[in-house]
Amino acid sequence: MNPYLSRKYIIGGIFSLIILIYIIRLFFLQIVDQSYKLSASNNVLRYVTQYPSRGLIYDRNGKLMVYNEAAYDILVIPRQVEPFDTNQLAKLLDLTKEQIAQRLKAAKNYSYYKPSVFAKQISARNYAPLQEQLYNFKGFFVQTRTLRKYPEKIGAHVLGYIGEVDDELTKKDPYYNSGDYIGISGVEQSYEKVLRGKKGVEIFMVDVHNRIKGRFKEGKFDTIAIHGENVTLTIDATIQAYGEALMKNKRGSIVAIEPSTGEILTLVSSPGFDPDLLVGRNRTENYDKLKNDSLLPLFDRPLMARYPPGSTFKLVNALIGLQEEIIKPWTVFSCYGGYNIGNFHMGCHNHRSPLDLKHSIQHSCNAYYANVFRSILDAPKYGSVENAYGLWRNSVISFGFGQKLGIDLPHEVNGYIPTLSLYNRIHGNRLKSLNIVSLAIGQGELLMTPLQMANMTAIICNKGYYYVPHVIKSTSETYDTVQKPFLIRKYTNIDSVNFEPVIEGMFLGVNGDDGGTGRIARMPGIEICGKTGTAENPHGDDHSIFIAFAPKDNPKIAIAVYVENAGFGATWAAPIASLMIEKYINDSIARPALEKHILERNLIDAQP
Amino acid sequence: MRSPKNSIWNDLDWITIGLYFLLVILGWLNIYSAVFNEEQQHGFHFGTRYGKQLIWIGAAFLIIVIALVVDSKFYSSFAYIIYGLSILLLIAVLIVGTRINGAKSWLVIGSIQFQPAEFTKIATALAMAKYLSHYSLKPEKFKTLLVFFAIIGIPTLFILLQNDTGSALVFFIFILVFYREGMPSVYMLFGLLAVALFVLAMLFENYIIIIILEILALLAFYILYRRQNETLIAALIVGISSVLVWLVITYFMPDASITLLLLLALFFSSLFFVYILFKNKLNGGFIILAVLFSSIFYAYSVDYFFDNVLDGYQQRRIKVLLGIQSDPYGAGYNVNQSMIAIGSGGPIGKGYLLGTQTKFKFVPEQSTDFIFCTVGEEWGFVGSAIVLGLFLALLMRIIIMAERQKSKFSRIYGYCVASILFFHVAINVGMTIGLAPVIGIPLPFFSYGGSSLWGFTFLLFIFVKLDSNRTQLIT
């Protein structure tokens, strides 16, 4: 009756086949393939970062140096934007209409659904009127950020600044996301991990329009932001400010160290800049301005500038001579208005002759040190000048020269102590002590940073050892770990007994009855020991150098002052060092005339 | 003797009715979940979609009662009249209908919105059953095929005019019904060839299709006559004439297209071929030639149809489905999001009311066309497979019921019901898992909407009624 009955199986088969194919497909979609689950959580979860407040920075006396102030980023989600009054928004955000259109376009190009920063760092003052009006601008909302603030505009180089993390780093370090802030220089950089705290995250579920629909699993996976640790620096804000004032309109640096600990009291780089310039909306603009300034205000001179040490280096040669028993404190050399051998002449200034060790320091006799240096190099016990030079160089390096000291600030440079191979290249393997006699008086190829010079001064105070100079005094929690490397004494090759005559010489240099090169630094009531130096500068006037410490017994401060292109060491560097010491020890200035003289002097504009 | 009242009660197919209610309840639970919003729990509310759906489910009971109370003979006797009325309704919609979501397919009377297309499915099924059950029907006659296409063509045309492509395509599934009733298999073959060619024409350049068709024609020739020599000669002729034409043409027309070359070569080689066929009296070869040329013509028409008849969005949807175009935020967005939602369900799902993708509206049209996403996300693979299994069980049950009818009309109507339900399930679920084009047609009993629920209910329960009289001859 029904010839096509068997076709019911074909139709039933088609139905079953399709359903079976669908079930297999579902099996792959739902069980085998995991990528859809990931896409689903990307779809639905929004991670809202909770930014911790950055740690505060105090000076050694608990004076606040850096704090935070709330600032407000305006974010926009283009998809949620409804037509708005461009003029009003332009006025509120202090932008032009074109900027608004342009930024909105940029945000759209980035993403229609994700928020992007529309205006950065609106100050609290501008934010108040904006907040009242923000409901008129659908799709715009606010994210609170913090800005660094500086109660006193000092220590820009030490403190450093923060800025947006670059894209390179966001790829390398998963902690950072694009738009996060990170310390870029100074303490902000070297203690970034301490200061930054820990970001928190709130996980929200959002719908297709990016509207928040609730917390993911009732906030079970949320983490709260942990604010950054506060940091106390070894810097003394008072003398830091004073040093910056003294160095105003001068080029150079001041480094002061507490010798007994290696704690840095002052790091002045002049000309400096107002740290506020590198905060907030105008940061980029200001940065470019500072970067293009011919006086290089961004250049951190104490750590990065390299100068020959000049006569201050005689101290090192004296110490090596004593240690190697080439000279004794009572060894005398004559000075005939300089050092003359055959055609060679090294000048000296007028002083009595002959001099013993301490008086040679007092009067900074060039001839004395030419003799000392050559005696070391030519001493028969070393076998050759090369051997002697190698030994001498090792001793110099034991003072921390020619290498990074390891200060807890970025960008420190090595300095330079010439190697034997350099001289062998120059002198064709026939090195004579006379060839390099300028090393005796700190000239020649030597290059030191002001930090290294201050450290050398601290070594003299400590009679033979130093602690790595550092700016961290304590942090609120992780003190031990950050402090550890700075608790190790580093010894030089010089025995402590050999420092006595050198210190005596430095004392006489400032306080000697028959005058001394550093007598201008004399301060009644404080036993200042010092040594002048003049670094020859092939590009212009010599640099004025003065290193000093005080008091003579149980020194509290070791200081190195460099004033570029200021001529003889005593003229500018010595009084500045003296005033710094007075300010630090007495906390007041009893020499207002000298102070006025320094404060008002402009050594930058005076130059041709 | 049983009383008549008892009789219908006992003769109802309770398996079908049970499956129906199971699906309707599952459907409502999913609509509730799709609409459910944790933040705005107003309690139960008839203004919400799940509230309205509940009202419509209630109203569906009324439809069930009507479908069961009406005498079986009525459906048979009035089949053509009902069909005619439904066409009139379709015309009415075109004139006074309301446009919702781009399709002018709604009649709005007071607060009631109604889609006549749903009713048309029933009417066409009845008319089809009536026509195919005619005692003198000759399925192998070409005239039968024409009438068949007329019955489904008229509603298709009007529904297409309403811009409701999805519903219009439903009627073509009646091919399965016709097939069951004796449609020559060759039509089925042609149908499959047409579909395959359509896909190929979309995927490949025309010249590749011509080459494929030529090879197929040669194969067919060989299989038909087992003549190795002639087949080889024919292949050589095609090849040589291609090269010759290529040489000649490139000399005169340096920038002629490959397709043109191939067509000309084919034309010349066909002349030789016709000669061979005549000589050897191989008449079957002419049919192969005819099919070859009409296939090429068809491939060109597909291109023309695709580029000039289909709307841009339809073109995109087909291209996305065939993998020609990737467009996760445009035409592919719905499907992509839908697959994410279903895929994220995993083996056992996220739990009822706990879906995130569907809840937060990443999937559009989630309570209507994409309701299956909610199933997939919240009930996982197990739930999805069970739902599909229930649909398959219903389809199989309907086939079994259809085959037990004494009356041809009832059997054919049964197949119509099964085919319509199958088409909806296949397309609707298929599009949510990226296996079918995005054609907006509802998932029977699941998708939100009164018209579709009532339509499917009525469609099914007419058959339940017919089945209750399965031992009678209904003409």
Side-chain angles (χ1 to χ4, degrees), chain B residues 434-454:
Chain B
L435 289 180
V438 179
I439 297 169
I441 58 172
L443 186 61
F445 318 122
F446 266 69
S447 289
Y448 167 81
S451 289
S452 87
L453 179 66
W454 295 342

Side-chain angles (χ1 to χ4, degrees), chain A residues 2 7 16 22 25 30 43, chain B residues 179 183 337 396 411 426:
Chain A
N2 198 329
R7 287 188 172 180
S16 308
Y22 284 9
R25 169 77 163 185
Q30 298 185 299
N43 252 348
Chain B
Y179 175 72
M183 178 183 81
Q337 291 296 337
M396 291 311 187
R411 179 179 76 220

Side-chain angles (χ1 to χ4, degrees), chain B residues 338-381:
Chain B
S338 151
M339 278 166 39
I340 288 173
I342 292 173
S344 70
I348 54 163
K350 296 175 184 169
Y352 185 55
L353 299 182
L354 295 175
T356 52
Q357 302 301 299
T358 46
K359 207 114 302 147
F360 298 150
K361 302 185 173 51
F362 285 97
V363 184
E365 306 292 336
Q366 54 201 328
S367 59
T368 55
D369 292 347
F370 281 88
I371 188 71
F372 193 72
C373 295
T374 315
V375 181
E377 188 182 12
E378 298 189 348
W379 297 351
F381 173 71

Side-chain angles (χ1 to χ4, degrees), chain B residues 249-305:
Chain B
I249 292 279
T250 45
Y251 186 77
F252 291 109
M253 298 164 62
D255 42 41
S257 73
I258 303 174
T259 314
L260 184 65
L261 294 177
L262 279 170
L263 280 177
L264 280 171
L266 182 65
F267 177 72
F268 289 121
S269 54
S270 299
L271 294 180
F272 288 105
F273 202 66
V274 167
Y275 170 74
I276 293 175
L277 293 173
F278 259 121
K279 203 178 134 195
N280 297 296
K281 299 196 169 61
L282 303 172
N283 292 337
F286 291 110
I287 297 173
I288 293 174
L289 262 187
V291 171
L292 174 60
F293 276 100
S294 48
S295 294
I296 291 170
F297 175 74
Y298 172 78
Y300 270 91
S301 326
V302 164
D303 270 5
Y304 180 84
F305 170 78

Side-chain angles (χ1 to χ4, degrees), chain B residues 158-453:
Chain B
F158 284 114
I159 293 173
L160 271 180
L161 287 175
Q162 295 170 7
N163 205 8
D164 186 2
T165 327
S167 298
L169 292 173
V170 173
F171 300 101
F172 284 91
I173 199 66
F174 284 148
I175 294 231
L176 283 180
V177 181
F178 188 21
Y179 175 72
R180 168 64 188 82
E181 293 308 316
M183 178 183 81
S185 296
V186 71
Y187 293 177
M188 205 72 162
L189 266 174
F190 276 122
L192 286 176
L193 184 69
V195 172
L197 260 182
F198 182 86
V199 173
L200 286 176
M202 300 290 9
L203 289 178
F204 300 109
E205 295 292 332
N206 278 331
Y207 70 89
I208 295 177
I209 292 166
I210 293 171
I211 293 170
I212 292 172
L213 285 171
E214 283 174 0
I215 293 167
L216 282 176
L218 287 169
L219 270 176
F221 178 72
Y222 177 72
I223 290 166
L224 201 57
Y225 296 108
R226 301 273 160 191
R227 287 190 179 216
Q228 220 161 5
N229 290 343
E230 273 82 356
T231 311
L232 277 177
I233 290 167
L236 274 177
I237 291 170
V238 174
I240 291 167
S241 55
S242 298
V243 174
L244 279 176
V245 168
W246 179 69
L247 288 173
V248 174
I249 292 279
T250 45
Y251 186 77
F252 291 109
M253 298 164 62
D255 42 41
S257 73
I258 303 174
T259 314
L260 184 65
L261 294 177
L262 279 170
L263 280 177
L264 280 171
L266 182 65
F267 177 72
F268 289 121
S269 54
S270 299
L271 294 180
F272 288 105
F273 202 66
V274 167
Y275 170 74
I276 293 175
L277 293 173
F278 259 121
K279 203 178 134 195
N280 297 296
K281 299 196 169 61
L282 303 172
N283 292 337
F286 291 110
I287 297 173
I288 293 174
L289 262 187
V291 171
L292 174 60
F293 276 100
S294 48
S295 294
I296 291 170
F297 175 74
Y298 172 78
Y300 270 91
S301 326
V302 164
D303 270 5
Y304 180 84
F305 170 78
F306 189 83
D307 292 337
N308 299 301
V309 177
L310 288 184
D311 280 344
Y313 78 96
Q314 288 163 330
Q315 293 176 5
R316 275 196 300 281
R317 283 173 177 182
I318 290 172
K319 280 184 174 169
V320 167
L321 180 76
L322 294 176
I324 300 168
Q325 209 175 44
S326 165
D327 188 8
Y329 294 105
Y333 177 81
N334 294 8
V335 175
N336 196 41
Q337 291 296 337
S338 151
M339 278 166 39
I340 288 173
I342 292 173
S344 70
I348 54 163
K350 296 175 184 169
Y352 185 55
L353 299 182
L354 295 175
T356 52
Q357 302 301 299
T358 46
K359 207 114 302 147
F360 298 150
K361 302 185 173 51
F362 285 97
V363 184
E365 306 292 336
Q366 54 201 328
S367 59
T368 55
D369 292 347
F370 281 88
I371 188 71
F372 193 72
C373 295
T374 315
V375 181
E377 188 182 12
E378 298 189 348
W379 297 351
F381 173 71
V382 173
S384 315
I386 287 174
V387 168
L388 284 176
L390 287 173
F391 274 115
L392 185 61
L394 181 63
L395 292 173
M396 291 311 187
R397 183 69 199 162
I398 293 170
I399 289 179
I400 290 166
M401 286 160 70
E403 292 294 347
R404 73 185 180 191
Q405 304 301 316
K406 185 167 189 193
S407 148
K408 214 175 162 191
F409 174 82
S410 303
R411 179 179 76 220
I412 297 168
Y413 182 77
Y415 271 100
C416 286
V417 174
S419 302
I420 290 172
L421 290 178
F422 168 71
F423 185 81
H424 276 87
V425 172
I427 294 294
N428 181 286
V429 175
M431 75 184 181
T432 64
I433 56 179
L435 289 180
V438 179
I439 297 169
I441 58 172
L443 186 61
F445 318 122
F446 266 69
S447 289
Y448 167 81
S451 289
S452 87
L453 179 66

Side-chain angles (χ1 to χ4, degrees), chain A residues 286-496:
Chain A
N286 289 336
Y287 183 86
D288 289 341
K289 227 181 266 173
L290 290 170
K291 204 176 149 197
N292 296 327
D293 190 326
S294 64
L295 296 173
L296 307 177
L298 290 175
F299 186 55
D300 191 7
R301 287 178 165 80
L303 275 58
M304 299 171 80
R306 307 187 306 169
Y307 314 90
S311 298
T312 57
F313 194 65
K314 289 170 181 165
L315 303 172
V316 175
N317 276 326
L319 288 164
I320 297 171
L322 287 168
Q323 180 69 25
E324 296 301 319
E325 299 187 322
I326 302 295
I327 54 165
K328 294 288 177 192
W330 52 85
T331 306
V332 293
F333 290 105
S334 297
C335 177
Y336 309 100
Y339 182 69
N340 304 303
I341 293 280
N343 291 332
F344 180 84
H345 173 71
M346 178 194 279
C348 196
H349 52 95
N350 187 28
H351 60 79
R352 66 190 165 85
S353 174
L355 296 171
D356 67 0
L357 178 63
K358 65 184 181 188
H359 292 100
S360 76
I361 294 171
Q362 178 188 0
H363 296 292
S364 196
C365 174
N366 287 348
Y368 191 96
Y369 288 93
N371 280 305
V372 171
F373 185 70
R374 290 198 69 197
S375 302
I376 297 170
L377 288 195
D378 293 334
K381 64 175 173 178
Y382 304 124
S384 70
V385 176
E386 282 82 3
N387 286 349
Y389 183 79
L391 183 131
W392 176 85
R393 187 172 184 274
N394 280 344
S395 295
V396 172
I397 282 173
S398 76
F399 282 78
F401 292 125
Q403 59 191 305
K404 292 187 177 102
L405 285 169
I407 187 177
D408 48 351
L409 287 174
H411 311 310
E412 186 192 3
V413 301
N414 286 328
Y416 184 66
I417 309 298
T419 57
L420 189 60
S421 54
L422 174 83
Y423 288 131
N424 280 337
R425 255 202 324 277
I426 298 172
H427 303 290
N429 291 327
R430 289 187 306 277
L431 181 63
K432 301 265 186 313
S433 59
L434 189 61
N435 297 145
I436 54 173
V437 75
S438 56
L439 296 181
I441 57 166
Q443 307 295 352
E445 293 83 357
L446 292 169
L447 289 171
M448 276 87 167
T449 64
L451 179 71
Q452 287 169 332
M453 295 306 290
N455 189 51
M456 178 191 85
T457 315
I459 289 168
I460 294 168
C461 295
N462 293 335
K463 300 190 175 120
Y465 64 85
Y466 67 96
Y467 296 98
V468 170
H470 53 278
V471 295
I472 193 78
K473 191 157 177 69
S474 66
T475 62
S476 44
E477 278 147 49
T478 51
Y479 175 77
D480 284 349
T481 39
V482 300
Q483 184 72 359
K484 217 171 193 171
F486 306 123
L487 294 174
I488 303 162
R489 268 187 196 185
K490 300 209 162 188
Y491 283 91
T492 59
N493 294 350
I494 314 295
D495 295 336
S496 66

Side-chain angles (χ1 to χ4, degrees), chain A residues 50-81:
Chain A
Q50 302 298 303
Y51 289 98
S53 61
R54 207 171 165 84
L56 308 182
I57 302 178
Y58 296 94
D59 89 332
R60 63 190 291 116
N61 302 315
K63 205 165 167 186
L64 192 59
M65 292 187 85
V66 185
Y67 66 101
N68 298 313
E69 193 181 78
Y72 305 88
D73 284 357
I74 305 296
L75 275 61
V76 65
I77 297 176
R79 198 194 147 102
Q80 295 174 8
V81 172

